[in-house]
Amino acid sequence: MSYEDYSVVDCDGHVVEWVPDMADYMSDRIRMQATNPARDRQGVFPSIDGMHFALHAGTTGNERVTASEYMPGSGEDWVAFLEQAGIDKTVLFTTEGLSVGMIQIPRYAVEVCQAYNDYIHEKFAKVSDRLRPVALLPMQDVPEAVKELRRAVDKLGFVGGMLPSTGLPLHLGHQSYWPVYAEAERLGVPIAIHGGSNLGMGMDTFTNFTGSHVLHHSIPLMIALVSFIYHGVFDAHPKLKAAFMEGGCGWLDFLIDRMVRDENYFDAADQPKMRPVEYLKGGRILLGCEGSEETLAYVASRVGIEAFAYASDYPHEVDLPAAKHEIEEVVERDDMSREDKQAVLGDNAKRFFNL
């Protein structure tokens, strides 16, 4: 490996839930939903959208190479992946639960998030301290989401809480959700907004998966970041850290230009307390990115290297060889210093997630 001299931390990997095992942590009512054979693989989370049910087995046309003979995305497979890819630790997000925002019944959201977090603690966090999960939060019931974040961090040792980028009835900057952000700030852990569903993003009539994929992660992340800045989340919670996952980093350059332009055109009453670009500096915001993103060095020159971290996305679109290749792409760049490469490959994620 060409990156043996670097310490690598993955800021965005994915568990693959085995719902029959997860059922052991559910209430009787939800367990019936999870284990009813007539429901096939419907499980306990809603369908993410009309595209992902037919997700391809890979992006290159080649046979996928996973890290072990265990189920891809299991705790044991993740340990093997870290060993073979030369990665120290990973921050783990859900797969099935990316659609958690689509749940319309608050008490159901509470129960399924609690079951998920207990399951992930047993089947991943306890397998190895190199596997560091992020909690699912039932944002449909904000007081319960506060309690669940506190439980997940204090009792289960999770590194933060995840919010779905789509599905919830209000934009993520809305004051209704602020108690969750206040609790994250108090606990000293980040909130991570993770891309997933393409529903409601203007692409509901798309019939081409790749065309949808080009857009459907980045657009809701842009909306979430703008809502945090312009609806006062970062002003009201000055120590809150927020991550934006699965959309890469190129969209940030466009957004900066628009925010800078609008400083000069609109009423000061609609402006945040600081210049918008200042919220992006100093380590409060983190974007997961891939080594192939040509805009990385340029965007980092505008807001600082602290805002970016390597994300594997294993075992979704990326298999073991692809993950190693993307790390190598960062190392081989000629537009970044060694210090900046180390920051992206490991240091920023360590700091941001308190690893």
Side-chain angles (χ1 to χ4, degrees), residues 105-115 138 140-141 144-145 148:
I105 303 172
R107 64 191 178 99
Y108 181 84
V110 171
E111 288 193 30
V112 78
C113 286
Q114 290 172 345
Q140 294 86 344
D141 185 330
E144 289 297 326
E148 186 59 14

Side-chain angles (χ1 to χ4, degrees), residues 63-126:
E63 183 177 352
R64 289 179 60 84
V65 179
T66 53
S68 72
E69 295 182 356
Y70 294 102
M71 185 182 81
S74 65
E76 294 78 9
D77 182 64
W78 258 107
V79 173
F81 172 76
L82 295 181
E83 285 292 330
Q84 295 180 49
I87 298 173
D88 296 337
K89 296 180 180 181
T90 184
V91 177
L92 289 175
F93 291 85
T94 181
T95 293
E96 296 284 341
L98 291 174
S99 65
V100 67
M102 308 295 179
I103 297 173
Q104 294 179 255
I105 303 172
R107 64 191 178 99
Y108 181 84
V110 171
E111 288 193 30
V112 78
C113 286
Q114 290 172 345
Y116 170 87
N117 292 333
D118 287 337
Y119 162 72
I120 295 301
H121 178 247
E122 291 291 327
K123 299 297 184 180
F124 290 84
K126 283 190 173 182

Side-chain angles (χ1 to χ4, degrees), residues 166-184:
T166 57
L168 294 172
L170 303 169
H171 67 77
L172 295 177
H174 197 279
Q175 287 194 20
S176 296
Y177 301 135
W178 284 17
V180 175
Y181 307 147
E183 184 65 12

Side-chain angles (χ1 to χ4, degrees), residues 216-233:
H216 75 241
H217 290 314
S218 300
I219 288 176
L221 295 182
M222 293 170 69
I223 294 170
L225 177 56
V226 169
S227 75
F228 270 45
I229 292 174
Y230 288 89
H231 284 267
V233 173

